[in-house]
Amino acid sequence: MNRGKIVFGKIGFNLSGSSKLPETIPPPPPPPPIDQTTPTPTLHDDTTEPDTTESATSGFGSFGKLSQDNTTASETSPGDLESMMGFSGFGKKAKEFNLDSLVEETRKSAVDRNRENIEKLKLQSLEEEKRKASLPTPNDSTKSAVTESKSESDEDEDEFIGPPLPPGLKPPKDAGSEAESEEEEDKEHWLPTSHELNLEHGTKTVSSLAVDSSGTRLVSGGLDYDVRYWDFQGMDQSKEAFRSFCPADGYPVNSVDYSCTGDKVLVVSGSQQAKVYDRDGIELFECVRGDMYLHDMARTKGHIAALTCGVWHPRDKEEFLTSCMDGTCRLWHTSRPGSQKNVIKARALNGLKTNPITCAYNRDGLLVACACDDGSVQMWDHRKSFVNVAINIKTAHARGSDTSGLTFAYDNRGFATRGGDDTLKLWDIRNTKTSVHAKEGLFNRFPMTNCVFSPNDQMVMTGTSINKGEKAGKLIVVDRNTWNVVREVEVGPSHVVRIIWHARLNQVMVGCGDGKVRILYEPKISRNGAVLVAGRHKKRSKQAEVVVSQQVITPHALPMFREERHKSTRKLEERDRKDPIKSRQPDLPVGKAGSGGRVSAGGSTLSSYIIRNMGLRNKVHEEGDPREALLKYAKEAAENPYWVTPAYERNQPQPIFQETDSGMKEEEEEEEEEEEEEESPPSKKLKQQ
């Protein structure tokens, strides 16, 4: 039975058997215009519409073969679609931006805002060009190339875009001026020795120095048992330390070191216990002391002998290392000061224990190293157990000498040692059989003299002590590649003991044997630190001078009623200083007789004064005959007996005293002369005749 096409609203179905589904669904055709007068039919008979294979033209889609109208409708343009559907698109239309115009507007606004800074930069560049043009240069060609590059950079500066630069900061230069950049790098890392700043630590040798990573604070320790904190930000020309204390009375300070974050300071004195302080010098904790009666040093919780050195971990702010004369190095953690974290035993060539003099970490903290008094340098891997030695240089320095310095290079490929045998050696960590370079004849008198690498890792610096015939200690700067002495700098009439070359400040701090900390710097290439202190003035002790009290000014008053007008407090203080009561002047020393109700210097208390006077009053002078001195009291004793006579009054006989006559005395003298003549020898008698 053949059925015709059935239409439901706008959806039509072709039920003829010959119809097939299309492979793709075409887009809907545009709707035909609707006549409001004639109703839309819902059903179509076969008579009204011929039986064709075309699908319905109305609705969202059609099933069956594609018609020619549908193919043409799919190729309609966007304008036809807009006129056909009544809208141009879905949602709001995206805004269009012209990037070239936006960049041009921002450039103009930035140039207008920074016009003053750009002009200043131009003037600075012109002044530098004039200054460099006045200096003699070896090659004119290089000079012309540099000036051309500068002119190009000046042209580029006209189009400078961005916020205003801080004063003193120059804009980045082009990559074309390679020669100039290399010269600036060499100047930045060159030894700054043109200016010097002295800090008075004390009267004895400055044995330890430490500077935090930011370069704002300096800590110094000396053989006078004191530790001092210096703040470059708050220091003026008086150059006084803001804090000073004694960590262990009677023990010299061998080492001080800042943590990697600068919030803690490790102080290692000559005692058995290291101490950790905060940034302001307040004690946080103290390491425990070990049991000296235990033979195995691994069983004790701490050191049992004098400490020699101590350093912080370069990456971990909670771990530090100490070395001691008990033959061990110990790793500590700040969370457990009651016991060490690990114990490292240093062994000599014969297997017995040896005492480490100094200790150090490498730059990444993976190696723990120590230099011992038998001349050896030993290293352990921090990632493994500290039983087997990773690197052992048995004869690094002379046996029995104190290897005072051990420091690693910034590239972790080499390290330098400063020996007590007056040598400075450079080692390659990849081949430690022999040293790469060695420098001899560097006199060393202290067991804490160190050596440091320059910030560019191309030079090694150390200090020397004063030898016989010398007047000052020296800073020796050696080239790392050629090992030639680059420069020798005399640092005051004293020994050079401790050295720090700070990379950020580009300043050299030197601890000397006369108790001074000398800071060497160059204002052009150094920044902050001593440069800030040198540019400040000493604070006035009396800055504000104000009137003490309001006074009634009477210029025509009589002299006896006139009051003096005090313009400042200084005159009043000077006048009060002369008054002994207001100034609380201490009492002057009294004379022999005393004055003002005070006794003399012989008796400071009342009891001592009474005893002294009683002794003087009852003192018996031995100038005359003691018998006569006693008999002058006989009459008084007979008339008023008090002590002895009343007790023996009944049974004591009458006292009889020998009477003395002049005749009896002459007879006694003659008898004595005769006896002497009889006893004298005959030769003496002949001489007398």
Side-chain angles (χ1 to χ4, degrees):
M1 179 178 179
N2 294 329
R3 294 181 180 180
K5 190 183 342 179
I6 300 174
V7 178
F8 298 95
K10 293 185 179 182
I11 302 175
F13 295 93
N14 193 356
L15 301 179
S16 61
S18 62
S19 63
K20 297 181 181 180
L21 293 175
E23 296 180 358
T24 58
I25 299 173
I34 300 172
D35 191 2
Q36 297 180 358
T37 57
T38 59
T40 304
T42 57
L43 295 175
H44 297 275
D45 297 333
D46 296 339
T47 57
T48 58
E49 188 174 351
D51 188 6
T52 60
T53 58
E54 293 179 2
S55 61
T57 60
S58 64
F60 294 98
S62 62
F63 298 91
K65 292 184 179 181
L66 293 175
S67 62
Q68 188 68 24
D69 297 336
N70 293 336
T71 57
T72 56
S74 62
E75 297 177 358
T76 56
S77 62
D80 298 338
L81 181 63
E82 180 178 358
S83 62
M84 178 177 59
M85 300 185 68
F87 55 90
S88 60
F90 299 94
K92 295 182 179 180
K93 183 179 179 181
K95 295 182 179 181
E96 295 181 359
F97 298 92
N98 191 355
L99 296 179
D100 296 336
S101 61
L102 290 175
V103 170
E104 186 66 22
E105 289 177 0
T106 54
R107 188 188 68 80
K108 289 181 179 179
S109 61
V111 169
D112 294 337
R113 287 196 304 269
N114 302 324
R115 189 176 302 278
E116 295 181 359
N117 294 332
I118 293 173
E119 292 177 356
K120 289 180 181 179
L121 292 174
K122 287 181 180 180
L123 293 175
Q124 290 179 0
S125 61
L126 291 174
E127 290 178 358
E128 289 182 358
E129 287 181 3
K130 293 179 181 179
R131 182 176 57 82
K132 291 184 178 181
S134 61
L135 296 175
T137 55
N139 298 325
D140 295 334
S141 60
T142 58
K143 182 177 178 181
S144 61
V146 171
T147 53
E148 289 177 0
S149 62
K150 285 186 177 180
S151 62
E152 293 176 358
S153 62
D154 292 338
E155 293 176 0
D156 295 337
E157 285 177 0
D158 296 338
E159 299 180 357
F160 180 73
I161 300 173
L165 294 174
L169 184 64
K170 298 179 181 180
K173 296 184 179 180
D174 298 335
S177 57
E178 296 179 356
E180 187 176 357
S181 62
E182 290 178 359
E183 291 179 0
E184 289 179 357
E185 289 178 0
D186 293 337
K187 289 181 180 179
E188 287 178 358
H189 300 293
W190 184 240
L191 180 64
T193 57
S194 62
H195 294 69
E196 180 178 331
L197 181 70
N198 296 335
L199 303 179
E200 295 287 344
H201 174 85
T203 57
K204 295 186 178 180
T205 303
V206 180
S207 57
S208 55
L209 287 175
V211 184
D212 61 348
S213 57
S214 61
T216 57
R217 290 193 175 181
L218 169 70
V219 178
S220 61
L223 299 183
D224 55 355
Y225 319 139
D226 290 339
V227 173
R228 296 181 183 270
Y229 279 62
W230 313 82
D231 187 8
F232 293 118
Q233 301 290 340
M235 195 188 308
D236 57 0
Q237 283 294 332
S238 61
K239 296 174 287 188
E240 296 179 355
F242 73 91
R243 184 166 179 80
S244 176
F245 59 89
C246 179
D249 192 12
Y251 294 98
V253 181
N254 293 328
S255 177
V256 292
D257 191 22
Y258 266 101
S259 61
C260 59
T261 56
D263 59 341
K264 298 182 184 67
V265 178
L266 173 65
V267 178
V268 176
S269 61
S271 63
Q272 299 88 355
Q273 298 169 279
K275 294 184 179 181
V276 176
Y277 295 82
D278 67 351
R279 187 175 177 82
D280 296 325
I282 300 173
E283 183 178 348
L284 299 178
F285 63 87
E286 182 181 19
C287 296
V288 70
R289 182 178 179 180
D291 190 355
M292 61 189 305
Y293 296 104
L294 294 179
H295 179 70
D296 189 3
M297 291 293 101
R299 301 290 182 180
T300 61
K301 295 183 179 180
H303 292 290
I304 63 171
L307 297 174
T308 57
C309 186
V311 290
W312 281 95
H313 193 282
R315 302 287 178 85
D316 188 0
K317 67 176 183 178
E318 305 295 337
E319 182 183 332
F320 59 92
L321 170 69
T322 57
S323 61
C324 182
M325 295 298 290
D326 59 2
T328 62
C329 295
R330 298 176 189 263
L331 296 173
W332 303 81
H333 199 273
T334 56
S335 62
R336 295 188 304 166
S339 178
Q340 73 274 351
K341 183 180 177 183
N342 296 102
V343 180
I344 305 172
K345 297 180 181 179
R347 298 296 181 183
L349 184 61
N350 54 5
L352 300 177
K353 74 172 185 178
T354 180
N355 299 325
I357 304 300
T358 183
C359 58
Y361 286 97
N362 67 338
R363 296 294 176 177
D364 53 7
L366 299 179
L367 282 178
V368 178
C370 71
C372 305
D373 57 358
D374 63 342
S376 64
V377 175
Q378 304 178 22
M379 300 183 188
W380 293 267
D381 193 346
H382 195 282
R383 297 165 292 183
K384 301 178 181 178
S385 61
F386 300 97
V387 177
N388 298 324
V389 181
I391 298 174
N392 190 1
I393 308 174
K394 299 178 181 179
T395 58
H397 291 276
R399 184 179 181 85
S401 62
D402 294 336
T403 304
S404 58
L406 172 63
T407 181
F408 285 85
Y410 288 94
D411 57 2
N412 276 329
R413 294 183 179 179
F415 61 95
T417 56
R418 180 72 164 95
D421 53 356
D422 302 342
T423 60
L424 174 65
K425 294 185 178 181
L426 180 66
W427 304 83
D428 190 351
I429 202 168
R430 296 165 293 185
N431 184 13
T432 58
K433 293 182 179 180
T434 58
S435 60
V436 180
H437 298 290
K439 190 73 176 178
E440 299 179 354
L442 304 177
F443 182 65
N444 183 15
R445 185 174 291 178
F446 297 90
M448 62 280 297
T449 304
N450 65 335
C451 55
V452 295
F453 281 88
S454 62
N456 62 352
D457 222 6
Q458 298 299 319
M459 291 176 287
V460 182
M461 179 189 293
T462 187
T464 61
S465 304
I466 298 177
N467 203 350
K468 292 182 179 180
E470 297 180 355
K471 296 182 180 180
K474 296 181 181 179
L475 279 176
I476 308 297
V477 184
V478 184
D479 193 328
R480 180 181 176 182
N481 299 321
T482 62
W483 211 242
N484 296 327
V485 177
V486 179
R487 183 179 294 185
E488 293 184 2
V489 182
E490 292 187 356
V491 185
S494 179
H495 311 282
V496 177
V497 182
R498 208 74 176 180
I499 305 171
I500 293 178
W501 194 339
H502 201 274
R504 179 173 291 185
L505 302 180
N506 196 19
Q507 298 174 14
V508 179
M509 291 78 173
V510 182
C512 301
D514 56 355
K516 294 182 180 180
V517 180
R518 291 178 169 86
I519 304 177
L520 306 178
Y521 66 97
E522 174 68 36
K524 295 182 180 179
I525 59 178
S526 301
R527 55 188 69 170
N528 297 337
V531 180
L532 296 177
V533 181
R536 292 173 181 165
H537 300 287
K538 188 175 181 180
K539 295 180 180 179
R540 296 179 58 186
S541 58
K542 300 293 181 182
Q543 293 182 354
E545 297 181 0
V546 295
V547 178
V548 179
S549 61
Q550 295 182 357
Q551 296 180 352
V552 178
I553 302 174
T554 55
H556 302 290
L558 296 174
M560 60 184 302
F561 299 106
R562 190 175 300 168
E563 296 182 1
E564 295 183 359
R565 296 176 59 187
H566 303 288
K567 297 181 180 179
S568 64
T569 59
R570 187 173 301 175
K571 292 183 178 180
L572 283 178
E573 291 178 357
E574 291 177 357
R575 184 173 297 176
D576 293 342
R577 182 63 180 168
K578 296 177 182 179
D579 189 356
I581 298 175
K582 292 184 178 180
S583 63
R584 297 180 182 179
Q585 182 180 357
D587 296 332
L588 298 175
V590 297
K592 295 181 180 180
S595 62
R598 295 184 297 132
V599 298
S600 61
S604 59
T605 60
L606 180 61
S607 59
S608 61
Y609 174 74
I610 293 172
I611 292 171
R612 185 174 64 85
N613 289 343
M614 288 176 64
L616 291 175
R617 186 181 301 169
N618 300 330
K619 187 176 180 181
V620 179
H621 298 282
E622 298 179 356
E623 297 176 356
D625 188 6
R627 180 173 178 150
E628 294 178 358
L630 291 174
L631 289 176
K632 69 181 181 180
Y633 299 104
K635 184 178 180 181
E636 185 179 355
E639 293 177 356
N640 300 318
Y642 182 76
W643 297 107
V644 180
T645 305
Y648 301 98
E649 186 176 0
R650 295 181 181 180
N651 55 3
Q652 181 72 15
Q654 185 70 22
I656 300 173
F657 299 100
Q658 184 179 359
E659 296 180 0
T660 58
D661 296 331
S662 60
M664 295 177 66
K665 290 182 179 180
E666 293 178 357
E667 291 178 0
E668 290 177 358
E669 291 177 357
E670 290 178 358
E671 290 178 359
E672 290 177 358
E673 291 178 359
E674 290 177 359
E675 290 177 359
E676 290 179 357
E677 290 178 358
E678 291 177 358
E679 292 177 358
S680 60
S683 60
K684 189 175 182 180
K685 293 179 181 179
L686 293 173
K687 289 181 179 179
Q688 291 177 357
Q689 292 177 359

